[in-house]
């Protein structure tokens, strides 16, 4: 990010920014803490929750679809201020509740 008279610019302004996936445990814990703080600073504008029973091995094949859906959000990104532009965090999460 570059600041000029209180205005920030970023060469990745039209991209979905993600952190690395393979990290040492202490760095990962710090990133999770920062992500949690970032998300807590905003307010949810959409949520969807579904619970299914599935083969863990087969359900793994669905993860690339989730990844693609999150990345596709960049299609709606803008680089200039608009009257209704905002900064959004798009989160996808799969939680294994229990063996069943």
């Amino acid at each position: 990010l570059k600041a000029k008279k209180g205005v920030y610019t970023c060469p990745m302004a039209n991209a979905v920014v993600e952190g690395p996936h393979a990290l040492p445990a202490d760095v990962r814990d710090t990133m999770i803490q920062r992500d949690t703080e970032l998300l807590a600073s905003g307010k949810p504008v959409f949520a969807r929750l579904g619970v299914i029973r599935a083969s863990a091995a087969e359900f793994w094949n669905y993860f690339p679809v989730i990844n693609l859906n999150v990345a596709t959000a960049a299609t709606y990104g803008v680089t200039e201020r608009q009257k209704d532009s905002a900064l959004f965090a798009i989160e996808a999460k799969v939680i294994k509740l229990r063996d069943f």
Side-chain angles (χ1 to χ4, degrees):
L1 294 172
K2 296 179 184 176
K4 184 177 180 181
K5 296 182 181 177
V7 176
Y8 291 87
T9 61
C10 176
M12 300 184 322
N14 217 13
V16 174
V17 180
E18 296 183 54
H21 300 282
L23 297 168
D26 60 330
V27 175
R28 184 188 66 242
D29 292 345
T30 299
M31 287 188 68
I32 289 171
Q33 180 182 352
R34 298 292 182 255
D35 288 348
T36 301
E37 291 169 1
L38 177 65
L39 294 175
S41 72
K43 64 178 184 175
V45 295
F46 177 84
R48 171 83 190 247
L49 173 66
V51 177
I52 66 166
R53 183 180 190 181
S55 159
E58 291 180 20
F59 192 56
W60 188 268
N61 294 318
Y62 178 60
F63 295 177
V65 176
I66 297 171
N67 189 48
L68 180 62
N69 283 317
V70 171
T72 301
T75 302
Y76 299 94
V78 296
T79 57
E80 301 292 327
R81 179 182 291 258
Q82 297 179 358
K83 72 177 186 173
D84 66 340
S85 61
L87 187 62
F88 293 94
I90 301 94
E91 179 181 40
K93 188 184 297 187
V94 175
I95 300 170
K96 181 179 176 182
L97 299 173
R98 66 179 56 93
D99 290 326
F100 181 63

